Amino acid sequence: MEPLGSEETAPLDRELTSRTIRLTAAPDQRVTLATAETPRTFWAAPGEATVVGSGSATTIRADGRDRFQAVQDAARELFSVGDVHAGALAARPRLFGGFSFHDEHASAGPWGGYPRAKFVLPRTQLTYTDDGTWLTVNAVDTDAERVERRLDAEVERLRSISSPDAGRGPPGIVDRTRTTSEANWRRSVTAATDRIAAGELRKVVLAQALRVTLARPLLLSDTLSRLEERYPDCYRFLIEPDDGAGGFFGATPERLVGRHGRTVETGALAGTTGRGETPEEDEWLAAELLADEKNVHEHELVADAVRTQLEPYAASIRAGERAIRRLATVQHIETPITAELADDVHVLELVEALHPTPAVGGLPPKEALRTIRDTEPFERGWYAAPVGWFDAAGYGSFAVAIRSAVARDDTATLFAGVGIVADSDPDREWDEVQLKYRPILDALE
């Protein structure tokens, strides 16, 4: 694991100092994000505060196979000493970031600046809640007066920001390049179903990547604003590399895990169909999805695996009623799952236990991951991996980074995948992948 660091490596004998005040007025989230320092972070989730992070007070990175534990250990050391005045629970200092999908991820190509694990403690954190807006300044610095001066300066900067305009609109797409041809896709799906028939696999999730060239560089603040308009009940996120050249962003419907106190919330999201042209067609498609043997089987594989993965940590587990989750372009089968922890377990332990779920990996896990590595002609990077935040108490919220893209300059690479089971049809699965590109494509063109 690399040591803690911001522009320079932060010595571990220095304390975390954090100061928070409530703002009487603040620019909206899009303008705050557009004017933030790099690296920027953004997090918005159903039932949670929205947070815009500016700059880095310190960054935790980990590249070994023990990356989940390494991040947890470094964070425990960071939070163990310090002078933290949070002002409000929602405004407490938090580390934002994520992990690569595969343990052996290479930080190269579009994934330059994204190691196997990276979490940023923002230098400035603006937290939007139903009860108001909070400004937090964090520093790995024992000089509390300097932090107070920085807080005052940030208040003045926010006051000086002009009123928001309407934004520039989508950048537009001038070229598209697929990593997987339809012919190769059919061969890959057929090979996977043959392995399932032979008993080597029960399910595997295969993905595609689509590289698009934009008419002009991407304004991620505007892009996330457009995603908010169409996907307000999804987990919207941005994690930038240290140099701020682009970013990994998305609007994912899939929660991995959330922990507050001893309560853990997760779920199964698998099985997909499109949206209807009318409410009646919408209902018909939803009913067909819930009755479809292939999709229900795929969904139950995920739900059973999530419950099994939680059992070692839980005093009790309860699954809610299976239902339809409607998004702007697709409908999914969803089963919410809630657990009460038997002991005090850090959210990162739960993240490690649940990743990857069969909704983005497969079963058995090791064989599915091997199949993904052997089949996909691109690097997944952080796609379909855990992204989110955690705090000093070990509480946190993580989503599965699907419906996502990584951007740099005038290029963005989009990702989408589907679950392959015994009776999967290559052409139907191809069409489903194209449907899952739509959230990001619609925000770009």
Side-chain angles (χ1 to χ4, degrees):
M1 187 194 76
E2 295 183 19
L4 296 175
S6 50
E7 288 95 355
E8 299 177 356
T9 299
L12 296 180
D13 59 353
R14 298 170 69 189
E15 295 182 355
L16 167 63
T17 303
S18 180
R19 292 290 184 272
T20 299
I21 61 169
R22 183 171 182 166
L23 299 177
T24 56
D28 73 10
Q29 300 157 21
R30 182 181 65 82
V31 174
T32 303
L33 184 61
T35 58
E37 296 180 10
T38 58
R40 299 175 297 174
T41 50
F42 178 84
W43 179 261
E48 297 185 30
T50 296
V51 182
V52 177
S54 177
S56 171
T58 194
T59 300
I60 295 172
R61 299 178 180 85
D63 275 312
R65 289 186 174 273
D66 63 344
R67 55 202 173 121
F68 294 93
Q69 186 63 51
V71 170
Q72 185 179 336
D73 291 344
R76 183 180 293 112
E77 189 170 2
L78 171 67
F79 288 130
S80 65
V81 291
D83 182 12
V84 178
H85 295 171
L89 183 61
R92 62 199 181 279
R94 297 188 244 180
L95 285 157
F96 296 85
F99 300 86
S100 62
F101 183 85
H102 293 289
D103 287 341
E104 62 275 20
H105 156 78
S107 182
W111 295 111
Y114 294 90
R116 297 179 196 183
K118 175 185 174 183
F119 283 82
V120 173
L121 177 70
R123 180 180 289 114
T124 301
Q125 176 180 307
L126 207 59
T127 306
Y128 296 85
T129 74
D130 293 338
D131 297 327
T133 303
W134 300 84
L135 171 65
T136 303
V137 169
N138 301 307
V140 182
D141 194 334
T142 55
D143 188 341
E145 290 186 4
R146 185 158 50 210
V147 176
E148 295 283 1
R149 290 195 298 271
R150 185 178 298 167
L151 183 66
D152 292 340
E154 185 63 18
V155 170
E156 290 303 314
R157 187 190 74 82
L158 290 170
R159 286 174 178 165
S160 69
I161 296 176
S162 59
S163 300
D165 56 28
R168 294 201 306 175
I173 295 173
V174 297
D175 188 44
R176 308 184 188 205
T177 304
R178 296 186 181 277
T179 59
T180 306
S181 68
E182 289 192 59
N184 285 340
W185 175 257
R186 290 191 188 97
R187 285 192 287 271
S188 296
V189 173
T190 300
T193 54
D194 287 346
R195 294 189 67 184
I196 292 170
E200 300 173 20
L201 284 170
R202 296 173 64 196
K203 174 189 176 180
V204 64
V205 177
L206 297 180
Q208 299 176 24
L210 175 66
R211 187 170 66 253
V212 300
T213 302
L214 306 173
R216 63 174 184 266
L218 191 60
L219 285 178
L220 286 167
S221 55
D222 287 353
T223 302
L224 285 163
S225 181
R226 287 190 290 274
L227 288 172
E228 179 185 10
E229 292 175 4
R230 297 204 72 189
Y231 302 93
D233 58 348
C234 286
Y235 295 78
R236 302 181 308 281
F237 63 90
L238 167 66
I239 309 293
E240 280 191 332
D242 291 346
D243 61 7
F248 180 51
F249 68 98
T252 171
E254 187 170 355
R255 182 211 302 266
L256 180 64
V257 64
R259 184 212 160 183
H260 185 76
R262 291 291 179 96
T263 301
V264 172
E265 294 180 309
T266 180
L269 190 78
T272 305
T273 191
R275 293 296 306 268
E277 296 293 333
T278 65
E280 293 76 17
E281 186 182 3
D282 233 12
E283 292 294 338
W284 181 83
L285 287 169
E288 183 184 50
L289 178 61
L290 286 170
D292 183 76
E293 186 175 342
K294 180 262 181 185
N295 279 290
V296 171
H297 171 60
E298 180 185 347
H299 182 84
E300 282 303 308
L301 287 176
V302 176
D304 289 345
V306 170
R307 286 189 290 262
T308 299
Q309 289 164 321
L310 277 180
E311 281 177 357
Y313 306 95
S316 65
I317 300 176
R318 182 177 61 84
E321 184 177 351
R322 186 190 302 166
I324 290 294
R325 173 87 175 273
R326 285 193 171 95
L327 303 174
T329 56
V330 296
Q331 305 182 77
H332 297 294
I333 305 175
E334 181 178 49
T335 298
I337 297 172
T338 303
E340 293 297 322
L341 294 174
D343 297 300
D344 185 16
V345 178
H346 197 287
V347 70
L348 289 185
E349 293 185 49
L350 303 173
V351 169
E352 182 175 15
L354 291 169
H355 173 72
T357 72
V360 291
L363 291 169
K366 288 184 179 180
E367 191 60 36
L369 292 176
R370 188 177 302 114
T371 301
I372 290 168
R373 269 297 193 195
D374 293 343
T375 303
E376 293 178 353
F378 62 93
E379 176 61 62
R380 278 200 181 193
W382 284 29
Y383 162 69
V387 293
W389 63 267
F390 66 94
D391 64 13
Y395 303 166
S397 179
F398 282 81
V400 181
I402 58 175
R403 316 293 148 82
S404 59
V406 60
R408 184 171 286 269
D409 299 323
D410 63 350
T411 300
T413 304
L414 289 65
F415 305 90
V418 291
I420 308 301
V421 292
D423 54 352
S424 290
D425 175 73
D427 293 329
R428 286 184 62 186
E429 305 297 355
W430 174 273
D431 291 341
E432 184 175 321
V433 169
Q434 313 320 306
L435 197 60
K436 290 176 177 177
Y437 281 138
R438 290 300 341 155
I440 303 300
L441 283 176
D442 290 346
L444 298 180
E445 63 182 350

